[in-house]
Amino acid sequence: MSTELPDTQSLQSWEDVFHQYPIPVVRGIEKKLRREVDDNQEKLRSLVGASYRDLLGTARSIVEIHTQIQFVETSLGDIGRRSDSRVLDKIGSNFARSEHTRKHEAKERLETSARLAVLSRCLNKISQILADRGSTLLCAKLLVISRLLHRTLSGESDQPLLSSLGTRLVSLRQRLLRHVDKRFTRLNVSNASLIEDMTAFALATSSMPSDVLKHLHFIRSNVLSRPREKRNIQDSILTRINLFLHTLRDTKACFPEIFAASLKLLGTKPLLEDSTILELDDLGLDMHLPWLPDDLVNYTPYTRHDELNRSKAAQLLRDWGVQACKVLGEAVNLDIKDSQDLPTVLDARRAALQLWLTSRRITSGLPWSQVLDNLRGPFDRQARAIIQNSATSLRTSVCGIIISTIKVWSKEAAPITQEELWSKSLVRMDISNGAIEFQKAISNSLTGKNDAIEQLVRILDSNRQKVQNIQAAFKEMKDTRWEYDDIDDDDDDNDDDSGSSISKLSKTDPEELQQVLSQSMVEAIQQIDEVLSSQVEADTCGFEDYSSIGPFVLRSLRELRYHVPRLLQFVDKVAKAELLCVGLVNTLHKSLAKHLVNKKEASFAGAVRKLIHSRYNIESLWTGSPPLPVQPSTGIFKTLRMTVKDMEAIGIDMWSVDALKQLKAAQQEALTKSVEEQLSHVRKLLSSDEASKSAAIPDKPGVDEGINGDQPQNGPISSSIDSNLVDEQSVNGHADVSENILTVLGIPNGNSQAADSSTISDGKASTTPGENIGTSPAQTDDVEKPSSELPPTLQPARLPTQLDSKLIQIYFDVLYLDSAFSLSNQEAGGTQSPLFSAAEKVKQLAKIDGAAEARLVKSAADYWRRTYLLFGLLVGS
């Protein structure tokens, strides 16, 4: 069956629907009918509402018409009542007054609006011109117009806009004045531009010509005294001088005629008739000019252009020039006060003075010589300060590095930076590129240079180079040929002194600076001497090990003595460099010698003690008839060789002639003192021994029993010997002499030493030591018989022979040591050394005759000549 819904207009009744269509179709018809009913209801509602609104509008219109009709009727009634002539005349007059008031108020509003508009546009134009770096005179004219407009508006209007415009006007005026001041500081500006700027300033500030000139000078003075910007010194100084000269030139060129003419031109016509103002379309004067007040339209500036005459302008310029010269000198001093480079300062001096001398025509009318002295004064003072600072820096640096190193090494061990000459690292060093590093290492090894010494050398070389640069700058000052304007100026007070003033630049100033340099450097060297002599000696006081401190100070002083003549080569009369710290050098030499003597004093004494205690026959190496020693004992030779090695360990560069003299003198003193003390002690013991012998056997002098009771022997015996008893006590008693001989060179006595001597000696001395040394056979027969002819009980013991031989060997050793430690001045003067005097005392104790003495002296000298090359450091003093 079809589900299409039939047209609802064709249906007659609802029964037909149920009869003709199925249930779904019936339901669709129901829905369709309900929709159509709803649509029809909505349409009906809209139709009824629109008709109702139209009805309400019609009713309202009727009510309004009724109201208007009532008003018309009432007005017509009033008009009728008031239509007589007097009332009409009164109404007409009131209307005329009202119309006049309305027009006047309208005119005032238009005038106020026009003035506000012109004021605002003038301010905008001023700001634009200043931003574009335009004409300052045009800005000043607009500023004057704006100021007049603001003045007329301030009494008539109290608008917030006027207040803001007034604030802006004040700000723009200050901005314009700052811009003009900035333009006043420019160099190489044309006179026309400067005249325009000064006219703008006069117009903006209502100033007279003299005020404008004073303000120009004030601005230029401020620029002259302004701190230097980030540029070099010479450019800054030349800029200041050029500004000063341009101020003089501009003032003479512009004042008073040209500037007066420019001011006079301002008063020829009103400002609003000025062509430069009328050409500004941004102001809208074609529209607003009719509404401006007449006093503003006809305003003409009044300038006292004739206030400043030529004489007054010249006086103002002269007064400013004198004051500005002082300011210029202070500014130059400010520019160079921080510079410590003397050539830079002198180059700036030359350029500045040359500029000043070639501008003498511009500076006519000023005290020329006085200004020149004021200008050169700062350069001379700064040059002196630089020279004095250099000398002070030299003293501080040199003393600082030496004293600081001493303090550090006194607390800590000195660093070992010196390599041995044949060390592996030195031998394997690269020798390419000229072997510079290798040569430096060899030099440092030989001269003992370390980091502190090299730093000191760098400081001295730097100061020497600085002094050479200063000397070159002085020479350039003397060789400078100054060019200057030679003019005939009757008004110049110092014209007669111009030649002498210029001569100061090339002659007087260099000579004075040369004297300052000489005096400063000499004082610095003297202060170095004083500081080192006091401070270094105080710091090293109590420091016993001079093996590091002493050589360092001596090497430092050596470098000083080497470089000081080069630092002072320009000085005519100064103390010799060798006299630098002479007291300290002598003290250090003595300390170094004492250190080495104290170190080897026990070694020399030990060598002698070993010789005395030796059980070997030392005569086996003797030669001649009678046999005498021809070479020193082994211990003495080794000890002397070790002394030289210790000297090499301290540094071969340390042993100069003076140091070697101090060492030899100290060694002679030590050995002589020890020998004399012990020889004196030995003599006392021998004297007491002879006295006891004489008391024991008065009828047989020179004969006594042996120490074993069955072997009598000749010579003195000790009082402690028991002829009937052989024991250790008697042996020790006979060893007393040997023990005291052991102490000749400072060997202390003791039980162990007595025991050692007892092992060496086996009997008493038969004769006085050395009694028969060097005597002829005839003399020997007169004294005693040969030992082969004596009975067995009278055969001599070995001890006297060994003691005599050892004393002879000691005598030879002392002669050899005397040759080693002899001084050239002793040899040249023919004086005997203390050590030789000690040898003479040993000779007297050993009873050595003249022939033996001559042989021994000659043998010792010959042996020293053959072996002195082994002790090279001991030779040369």
Side-chain angles (χ1 to χ4, degrees), residues 407 509 730 788 858:
K407 290 182 178 180
D509 290 351
S730 73
S788 59
K858 184 176 183 303

Side-chain angles (χ1 to χ4, degrees), residues 524-564:
I525 299 302
Q526 291 175 351
Q527 291 173 359
I528 290 175
D529 190 345
E530 295 174 0
V531 172
L532 293 181
S533 298
S534 60
Q535 190 67 33
V536 172
E537 188 171 356
D539 290 341
T540 57
C541 182
F543 188 74
E544 298 180 355
D545 186 9
Y546 285 90
S547 59
S548 59
I549 300 295
F552 166 73
V553 178
L554 288 172
R555 289 183 178 113
S556 301
L557 295 178
R558 180 184 63 198
E559 296 296 338
L560 280 175
R561 290 184 171 188
Y562 175 77
H563 286 83
V564 163

Side-chain angles (χ1 to χ4, degrees), residues 191-207:
N191 291 338
S193 178
L194 182 61
I195 289 295
E196 180 181 350
D197 294 336
M198 291 190 296
T199 305
F201 178 81
L203 186 60
T205 59
S206 302
S207 301

Side-chain angles (χ1 to χ4, degrees), residues 675 809-819 835-836 838-839 842:
V675 168
Q809 184 64 51
I810 291 174
Y811 177 68
F812 183 89
D813 291 344
V814 173
L815 291 176
Y816 184 73
L817 290 177
D818 180 62
S819 299
L835 196 58
F836 186 82
V842 175

Side-chain angles (χ1 to χ4, degrees), residues 317-378:
L317 179 60
R318 182 181 178 87
D319 295 342
W320 176 83
V322 174
Q323 184 65 29
C325 287
K326 298 179 181 178
V327 176
L328 180 61
E330 295 175 357
V332 171
N333 188 28
L334 186 66
D335 284 342
I336 62 177
K337 71 174 184 179
D338 295 331
S339 177
Q340 295 299 320
D341 186 13
L342 184 61
T344 301
V345 173
L346 295 182
D347 288 343
R349 170 186 178 273
R350 178 186 53 78
L353 295 179
Q354 184 63 69
L355 177 61
W356 179 262
L357 293 175
T358 54
S359 305
R360 189 176 179 185
R361 296 181 183 275
I362 301 176
T363 59
S364 60
L366 296 177
W368 188 80
S369 299
Q370 180 181 354
V371 174
L372 182 62
D373 293 339
N374 291 337
L375 188 59
R376 54 184 273 268

Side-chain angles (χ1 to χ4, degrees), residues 597-608:
V597 168
N598 292 339
K599 185 176 180 181
K600 288 303 174 185
E601 185 175 3
S603 299
F604 280 109
V608 177

Side-chain angles (χ1 to χ4, degrees), residues 29-44:
I29 294 173
E30 177 187 9
K31 294 179 180 179
K32 183 176 182 182
L33 288 173
R34 289 183 182 279
R35 286 195 299 271
E36 291 178 353
V37 169
D38 292 337
D39 293 340
N40 291 333
Q41 286 179 353
E42 185 65 26
K43 291 179 181 179
L44 180 61

